[in-house]
Amino acid sequence: MSYIKVSNIKLNIDATNDDAIKEALKRVKLSFDDVSSIEIAKLSIDARKKPDIKKIFTVGFETSEKVSGKDVIVFNERPEYKYDITGTSELNHRPVVIGFGPAGMFASYLLAINGYKPIVIERGGKVDARVESVNKFWETNELNTESNVQFGEGGAGTFSDGKLNTGNKDKGNRIKFVLDTFVKFGANEDIKYDFKPHIGTDILTKLVKSIREEIENNGGDFYFDTKVTEITKDNTIKVKTGDKTFETDIVILAIGNAARDTFEMLNANGFKLEAKPFAVGLRIEHKQKDINKNQYGFEDNRLGAAPYKLTYHSESGRSIYSFCMCPGGYVVNSSSEVDRMVVNGMSYSGRDGENANSAIVCSVTPDDFDSNNPLSGIEFQRKIENNAFVEGNGKIPVQQFVDFKNKTKSESIGSIKPQLKGEYELANLRNVLPDYISEALIEGIDYFGNIIDGFNHDDVILSGVESRTSSPVRIVRDDDLQSNIKGIYPAGEGAGYAGGIVSSAVDGIRVFEKIIDKYKPF
């Protein structure tokens, strides 16, 4: 039985998945009776010749018939993620996973279903309690510094669009496994083939709970609202929290990029860390119907809310680009420290909000920081986050683009109304960012106005500050994915090895593979 992919099936925008499947079978001269497990393998949109927009499908199926032809690829078997447990060493203690974002989630899930009985420690709360805490913060501005948009079950990605696109190649079908797992636990089937897959915050909050329950059903244990305060090693590794000490042979260190006090603890306890480049900037809002019209030629949502991806190389040599674009979404107060303001983007699964938003960010490197300390990027972030907090009087500082260019505080809002989660105040964002970043952002936004009509319109709304694009720190690891303190495996975005939900999950899977190469399950 071979697995066949028929690609480059171009149909009009009203075409359904069934239409694509019928066309695929027609091309290879087979009937439904000749195939099994037929599915949409990929769907993208070709909007280069507006208004003649096409859906481009790839269809996959299994068959024992011999087929060939243009745009037909034959595999000996269906591509699936596979792994072998070859480790022979005994585990004296249960593995400990610190952090239950995507990296920690997939590492602990695979460990659990294979008999390794992980212990998961998460400083934030369970997702239901976390949702309550976050909603209360958005309504009252009362911040819970331990359970918020950054910390808690599911990680920071739980309160985002749940974007699953990644630039990584899917060697070994790990990405496919991630998407299949999300569908298994409640995500919509279309994430497996959509060219810009997303889940949505409303579904993510249910999904991560289901994965946690599956881990528990397979022998895993969770400690929520439990912050790790120290990690030391003598004969064994000891993970200390407020009132407990966990003794273990293995730690998966899957902390998020907002775990600044944990980075400080690691630095003090002999872990090798290094500062790394990242990006900072502002959120930008446009009317979603205007983005739809530019991208597709019509304002309605017949193809869903249109996304965009923009890049520019500034005259100063810095990269300016859109990041975490949220069609039909909200700008959200994502702060995790007192007296500091952070924003991020979020969409629900319907992506039916009035505005589109995205971060427009500027690259920064360790050369921009004030010292050679490996934590200098954190201090750089904290400084501009404090500036944003002060500028907005504790609320999200908001400004029209024309006023940002003119270095004047906005006194009113024009045709685009802010779509936010959390209170906001009109402000002057030039007081938040260094001038070299502000000028680079203006240069980039004006350039993007040549690509998307109205992108640099005077009324466009900016808010700040977007400072958590990726980790400012890397926990150095070797070819076996272990830190300089052996038995400890840094993983995911916070550790400096990923940049989003899927790549973080894949990194957690890679750590799992290293562990099963060495150790056998209980």
Side-chain angles (χ1 to χ4, degrees):
M1 186 78 71
S2 300
Y3 183 76
I4 312 297
K5 278 188 177 181
V6 183
S7 61
N8 202 30
I9 301 171
K10 293 185 179 181
L11 301 175
N12 65 47
I13 62 173
D14 297 317
T16 65
N17 290 356
D18 286 343
D19 294 330
I21 288 170
K22 290 175 183 177
E23 177 62 22
L25 293 177
K26 179 180 176 182
R27 288 192 185 185
V28 294
K29 299 178 181 179
L30 296 177
S31 70
F32 280 99
D33 293 336
D34 298 320
V35 303
S36 62
S37 305
I38 193 162
E39 63 188 2
I40 302 299
K42 186 178 180 181
L43 169 61
S44 59
I45 305 296
D46 185 352
R48 291 174 295 177
K49 297 179 180 179
K50 295 183 282 287
D52 185 25
I53 299 173
K54 299 294 185 184
K55 289 181 176 178
I56 305 178
F57 293 88
T58 297
V59 174
F61 55 87
E62 290 178 299
T63 184
S64 57
E65 302 293 325
K66 289 187 177 181
V67 299
S68 62
K70 184 182 179 182
D71 299 320
V72 175
I73 304 175
V74 180
F75 300 86
N76 291 330
E77 60 182 358
R78 174 186 288 272
E80 298 288 357
Y81 172 60
K82 297 179 180 179
Y83 54 87
D84 292 316
I85 299 175
T86 58
T88 58
S89 298
E90 297 272 358
L91 279 170
N92 297 310
H93 306 278
R94 296 167 66 184
V96 171
V97 181
I98 301 174
F100 197 60
M105 183 184 302
F106 274 83
S108 56
Y109 171 66
L110 282 165
L111 287 171
I113 64 175
N114 285 286
Y116 288 85
K117 300 181 180 179
I119 295 169
V120 183
I121 302 173
E122 168 57 54
R123 69 187 295 168
K126 291 183 178 180
V127 70
D128 291 340
R130 185 183 178 199
V131 168
E132 289 184 17
S133 178
V134 168
N135 285 333
K136 180 180 179 182
F137 170 54
W138 286 340
E139 292 168 4
T140 67
N141 222 22
E142 296 176 18
L143 176 65
N144 180 339
T145 57
E146 296 302 323
S147 190
N148 46 57
V149 173
Q150 305 289 345
F151 301 139
E153 184 171 16
T158 301
F159 289 92
S160 73
D161 190 64
K163 284 171 288 296
L164 304 176
N165 47 298
T166 175
N168 293 1
K169 300 295 183 183
D170 196 12
K171 296 179 180 179
N173 299 302
R174 296 184 185 96
I175 294 174
K176 183 178 186 302
F177 175 76
V178 171
L179 300 180
D180 287 346
T181 301
F182 283 142
V183 170
K184 176 182 178 180
F185 288 101
N188 194 300
E189 188 85 16
D190 63 13
I191 69 168
K192 294 164 68 171
Y193 58 80
D194 196 280
F195 76 115
K196 291 284 189 180
H198 77 107
I199 298 177
T201 295
D202 47 334
I203 294 176
L204 271 167
T205 52
K206 301 171 185 175
L207 185 154
V208 299
K209 181 179 179 180
S210 296
I211 294 177
R212 182 244 300 167
E213 290 172 344
E214 183 70 5
I215 293 169
E216 291 173 327
N217 291 338
N218 282 275
D221 287 307
F222 283 79
Y223 292 83
F224 287 102
D225 301 303
T226 303
K227 183 168 70 174
V228 171
T229 56
E230 191 172 30
I231 303 173
T232 58
K233 182 178 181 182
D234 39 44
N235 294 326
T236 60
I237 301 168
K238 292 182 174 61
V239 179
K240 297 181 181 180
T241 65
D243 58 356
K244 290 183 176 64
T245 297
F246 299 87
E247 195 169 2
T248 184
D249 307 301
I250 296 172
V251 170
I252 299 177
L253 196 53
I255 60 177
N257 70 46
R260 292 166 171 173
D261 48 4
T262 306
F263 288 121
E264 291 166 352
M265 177 272 292
L266 296 174
N267 194 43
N269 284 357
F271 285 78
K272 187 175 181 181
L273 310 179
E274 61 186 20
K276 61 177 281 292
F278 58 105
V280 298
L282 303 169
R283 279 271 149 185
I284 191 166
E285 292 184 76
H286 303 85
K287 288 187 178 296
Q288 182 62 53
K289 65 182 181 65
D290 294 337
I291 300 298
N292 290 353
K293 186 173 183 180
N294 185 88
Q295 301 295 77
Y296 298 147
F298 44 79
E299 295 182 355
D300 61 58
N301 274 14
R302 75 186 81 168
L303 286 174
Y308 60 78
K309 184 177 182 180
L310 301 166
T311 60
Y312 174 68
H313 198 66
S314 72
E315 291 183 2
S316 64
R318 295 179 187 272
S319 295
I320 311 299
Y321 56 94
S322 60
F323 172 81
C324 186
M325 193 268 157
C326 295
Y330 298 81
V331 174
V332 302
N333 187 337
S334 303
S335 303
S336 59
E337 293 183 330
V338 173
D339 294 344
R340 296 189 174 97
M341 171 59 62
V342 181
V343 294
N344 192 11
M346 181 190 86
S347 292
Y348 296 113
S349 56
R351 286 181 163 177
D352 53 2
E354 183 177 349
N355 289 356
N357 77 74
S358 175
I360 302 296
V361 294
C362 172
S363 60
V364 293
T365 73
D367 291 338
D368 296 307
F369 309 154
D370 291 336
S371 76
N372 295 322
N373 187 296
L375 304 183
S376 56
I378 291 176
E379 294 312 309
F380 181 90
Q381 288 176 321
R382 280 175 163 161
K383 182 176 180 180
I384 60 175
E385 290 169 13
N386 182 253
N387 291 345
F389 183 89
V390 171
E391 186 62 26
N393 291 316
K395 303 174 184 178
I396 300 172
V398 166
Q399 187 177 24
Q400 292 189 110
F401 181 55
V402 64
D403 297 322
F404 185 66
K405 292 177 77 170
N406 293 331
K407 302 182 181 181
T408 58
K409 176 183 176 182
S410 287
E411 299 295 339
S412 63
I413 295 296
S415 60
I416 302 172
K417 310 301 181 187
Q419 190 165 275
L420 309 174
K421 293 287 186 179
E423 298 177 302
Y424 76 89
E425 183 160 313
L426 296 178
N428 183 1
L429 292 166
R430 296 300 291 265
N431 295 329
V432 174
L433 294 166
D435 282 343
Y436 66 87
I437 292 178
S438 295
E439 293 297 333
L441 294 177
I442 291 168
E443 187 182 335
I445 292 170
D446 278 336
Y447 174 81
F448 297 148
N450 299 319
I451 301 171
I452 296 179
D453 186 43
F455 199 89
N456 59 339
H457 190 277
D458 285 355
D459 288 359
V460 163
I461 293 295
L462 302 175
S463 56
V465 60
E466 176 86 31
S467 55
R468 309 284 181 87
T469 55
S470 66
S471 183
V473 181
R474 180 174 288 112
I475 307 171
V476 177
R477 66 187 187 188
D478 61 19
D479 292 340
D480 287 329
L481 308 188
Q482 298 183 61
S483 73
N484 60 302
I485 299 177
K486 300 308 173 189
I488 299 176
Y489 296 79
E493 184 173 322
Y497 295 98
I501 291 174
V502 171
S503 60
S504 292
V506 166
D507 200 56
I509 293 171
R510 293 178 65 229
V511 167
F512 158 76
E513 292 165 357
K514 291 295 185 181
I515 291 170
I516 65 173
D517 283 347
K518 183 175 182 179
Y519 295 100
K520 61 183 180 181
F522 291 107

